[in-house]
Amino acid sequence: MFNCRMRQMEERHVANQVDLMVWSNRLDLLALSNFKGEVQVHRLHWQKVWNLPAPKENVTVQAMAWRPDGKALAIGYSFGSVYIVDIENKEILDKYHFDQESSDELFEVKNYGITCITWAVKAGTLETATEYNLYDDASIFLQKPPSLNLPTYKNQSSEDNAKCFKTVQEHTQLNMLIIGYGTGHIYMSVFGRYPYGTMHLAQISKDDCGEYKVLNINLSDDFSLMQILYLDRVNKNIYLAVINTSVLSAFSEELFAVANRHGQIKQLISHLNQTMTSITESWEHILLEMDTKMASYASSVPEGGVSADFLELLMLGVPSDELELFLLHGLTAKGLKKFGGSVELSYSTIQKLVLKQLNIVGQCLTYHLAELRGFTRIPDRYKILGLDEATVTNSIRACCAFLNKCLELQQVIDVSMRNYKAFFRWLFVVIVRLLDEPASNEIIRMTQQELSHISDFLYNFDIVPGETSDKVSEKPVKFNLERLAQYLQDQDLTLLPDDEDNPWHKFLRENSCLLKGNDTIFSMMEFRKFSLVQQQNYLKNAIDKVFDVSGKDIGKYFSVLFNIKCYDDVDKINNCENFKASQIFDANQQKHMMAFTNTKYPSEGIRFVSLDVKERHCTAKAGKYYFSSYLLQDNKQPLEEELAVLDIEFYSSEYLSVLTKHPHNPESTVFIQLPLKIILDNSSEFNVKSKSCIFNDKLPRKNVSPLLDQGVFKVLEKMDGYKIAVSGGRKVAVVLSNSHRKVRVFEMEVNAEDEDDETFDITPQSQDLLENDSHDALTPEKLDTTAENVTF
């Protein structure tokens, strides 16, 4: 028999009232939220890891769930959004925004926020998780983008590179994030990243006019069965639905493979965005000084005057008075030489980023998308994933177009570098001559080809982008220093490239037959006017459509096995704010167990349901249980009293943790580890196909206290408890007081020799707290500890 040996680790008073508490089952970490919408993560000994403020004012946290590996936390807010937070640095990994639901009746807008979050993991390691594919690891080929505040390109270490891609490589088991929101919608996401789709409880109840609230969700360890406890808002009934989700189990390998490709693609898109930002900032560094000086000069001459003045200087060797003044006072020979070197270095940086980053990203994206298209061509296995072959093919075309635009940009960079070198060298010679300074013959000597390049370069100085029908440039361009700039703006190119030297266009001209009836090879002429930024946006939109599940109905792949009415007392149900439910799947016995209680009517005790489903046969048991003061064996109280249930949560597949009021000491509560074997043995079988409520008056209430051993409970002195959070995996528990300001953390299942005569292992600080008989009087200033430990 289990002995409820609990050793107190910490007791703390917090500044803000705690609302929710959730233990990680992989790490000794506790996540708490308060009524201000803040979330804080603590270690077992109450060492604060981080504090996450509310994303906006007047919001609360309605649900939380840990990712099975303990490295991320899902937080559901009252305004209908879920944030996935990295546990190491509280970085927001993902955000899910669920729109408000509108009712047909009077077009009333209703937002019930996030009502439930579950993060389930499939037992066992999939074969696809152990297969190593060289091309899946993009970090082998890609270097981390340079710091955005540095104009130079730096090689990054392999450790930085691996860290950049760690979120793609860490999953070895299939896991599913399930979010209940709105009026009964259930959203499912593999790894919390790949959107699988949404179903609605109306598909379960077969009533499209109903309004529903998801209370609790649980998946079997093989993902073949799902249990959903939900409220019918219209009829005020609570149902337990058993859903056949065997499609998730049967296609788990495919789900894992596609979800991994999705993660790798998203990571590559993120890498692409960082690289594009680095390229833009490097380009801005090139032109910052020269643009300022040239803009000043351009404003002093008529339109077209910049090119005319510089070309006249090139042909005749005599500058106009305005140009001579600009060259002598706006530029210096020394500064120009230094600036020319900076420009060459920055151009080299951009060229490396295009060659070593954009091209590789584009190739990796093409590889992963091609794999996805291969999946779509096996419809019997991949049709449930919602992948559309035409959409995936279009995304591959978008990748090819992006790669072609990168090639085009490389050609522009080569020409610009050549022209810039010649231009700055010539301009340096001009200034030296105007100053009558000596210069070597090697610097002064200019070839006819160099003069031709400079001439072409100067000729484009005054090309001003024309107005389009869609928009007018807010900032008119007075001159065009080089052609790279137009590729880094979200608008059509003004100077179209020469396609004669483009290898792809050459290849297609020589092999025009390849364009006939081919859905992948295409001429790309439709993207001829696209800038690199436009091509990047087109690529991102094409990939987003591949994983768009807004129109995907996953409910059609599931089937309702049973829809059991559990509770139909209309007078006692008020939107289920007082209902506390917990579910667990016993992997050893392959059965679902569910318990709930109504804290508004604590004397009702606990309602318990056990379902053992094998194929379409189901063995079901149910029972009503309550506790009495018999459990305490208090001879001073001759009359036996019922213990009001405050909270419940499954500790493991063997025990249900229960918090009850003390029968005659309002300042204390009783913590009970209820053996589920006793509950199962005393439950009654029922017909799951019956339309009647299983917890009706015919099902008797049983006092479970006489059946329990003395070692399964613990009286928590001077703790008027309200809520608990437990973890059998980590063997820990935490109890929250009724004031929401005091918490006690316990280590469970301690050895007998670690206990001190059945008393708590209390620190001196905690002892002082216990001796102070005021629940809310203590403030952080009265505690001998740091504010970080207590302020929340």
Side-chain angles (χ1 to χ4, degrees), residues 367-529:
Y367 167 75
H368 291 310
L369 289 167
E371 280 194 311
L372 289 182
R373 189 171 68 164
F375 294 159
T376 64
R377 292 180 174 178
I378 315 176
D380 291 340
R381 294 183 62 78
Y382 284 89
K383 63 181 180 181
I384 68 154
L385 301 180
L387 295 177
D388 177 68
E389 183 177 356
T391 306
V392 178
T393 299
N394 186 63
S395 68
I396 296 175
R397 289 167 59 96
C399 280
C400 295
F402 181 78
L403 286 170
N404 183 70
K405 192 61 65 174
C406 289
L407 175 62
E408 185 181 306
L409 185 62
Q410 286 175 233
Q411 295 173 324
V412 170
I413 291 174
D414 290 339
V415 173
S416 294
M417 287 185 69
R418 180 196 67 192
N419 291 344
Y420 251 124
K421 286 181 179 180
F423 171 70
F424 281 117
R425 183 175 168 224
W426 167 72
L427 202 57
F428 173 79
V429 172
V430 169
I431 294 176
V432 168
R433 283 177 174 173
L434 289 174
L435 295 173
D436 293 327
E437 294 181 356
S440 65
N441 291 333
E442 293 182 2
I443 296 178
I444 296 175
R445 188 183 300 115
M446 303 285 290
T447 66
Q448 188 62 39
Q449 187 178 30
E450 287 177 318
L451 290 174
S452 177
H453 292 160
I454 296 171
S455 177
D456 291 339
F457 182 63
L458 297 176
Y459 183 75
N460 294 320
F461 261 23
D462 289 301
I463 294 181
V464 180
E467 297 181 358
T468 63
S469 58
D470 297 331
K471 59 181 179 180
V472 180
S473 177
E474 296 179 359
K475 187 178 181 180
V477 179
K478 288 294 185 182
F479 62 92
N480 185 47
L481 195 60
E482 42 74 67
R483 297 192 180 191
L484 176 61
Q486 60 177 341
Y487 282 87
L488 304 178
Q489 300 176 33
D490 191 8
Q491 60 186 35
D492 290 348
L493 300 177
T494 55
L495 296 172
L496 296 180
D498 184 3
D499 297 328
E500 292 299 320
D501 295 331
N502 187 296
W504 180 251
H505 291 287
K506 276 185 177 181
F507 175 75
L508 291 182
R509 282 196 299 269
E510 296 170 359
N511 302 274
S512 58
C513 59
L514 295 176
L515 294 174
K516 298 178 180 179
N518 197 306
D519 59 358
T520 302
I521 298 177
F522 59 105
S523 67
M524 301 187 192
M525 292 303 293
E526 61 183 294
F527 304 112
R528 192 165 183 262
K529 291 186 177 181

Side-chain angles (χ1 to χ4, degrees), residues 133-196:
N133 188 333
L134 175 68
Y135 299 101
D136 287 349
D137 188 1
S139 65
I140 294 175
F141 310 99
L142 282 171
Q143 295 171 314
K144 188 178 180 181
S147 175
L148 299 185
N149 59 355
L150 294 176
T152 57
Y153 182 84
K154 293 185 178 180
N155 292 331
Q156 304 294 323
S157 68
S158 58
E159 291 182 1
D160 290 338
N161 207 18
K163 185 177 180 182
C164 184
F165 285 86
K166 66 176 182 177
T167 55
V168 179
Q169 304 168 8
E170 62 186 9
H171 297 292
T172 58
Q173 289 181 288
L174 182 67
N175 65 71
M176 184 80 73
L177 175 67
I178 308 173
I179 301 169
Y181 70 98
T183 55
H185 286 89
I186 298 173
Y187 173 80
M188 302 177 69
S189 169
V190 182
F191 303 146
R193 302 210 71 182
Y194 171 64
Y196 180 62

Side-chain angles (χ1 to χ4, degrees), residues 26 78 145 201 314 323 373 392 425 486 497 514 556 579 620 623 630 778:
R26 291 295 298 272
S78 56
L201 285 174
L314 180 66
L323 181 56
R373 189 171 68 164
V392 178
R425 183 175 168 224
Q486 60 177 341
L514 295 176
K556 65 182 180 181
F579 269 82
Y630 179 90
L778 287 177

Side-chain angles (χ1 to χ4, degrees), residues 216-280:
N216 200 280
I217 301 175
N218 190 34
L219 267 177
S220 61
D221 67 342
D222 63 352
F223 282 16
S224 64
L225 285 175
M226 180 188 294
Q227 273 198 175
I228 306 173
L229 187 69
Y230 69 96
L231 166 69
D232 184 329
R233 298 180 190 272
V234 177
N235 299 321
K236 300 292 184 180
N237 295 332
I238 291 179
Y239 291 88
L240 180 63
V242 182
I243 314 298
N244 178 4
T245 56
S246 57
V247 67
L248 299 179
S249 179
F251 294 94
S252 56
E253 295 279 350
E254 289 79 1
L255 275 173
F256 187 88
V258 173
N260 268 329
R261 296 297 175 272
H262 170 267
Q264 289 155 350
I265 288 170
K266 286 296 183 182
Q267 193 75 6
L268 288 167
I269 290 294
S270 175
H271 195 91
L272 173 62
N273 294 338
Q274 295 178 54
T275 304
M276 286 293 292
T277 303
S278 299
I279 289 175
T280 302

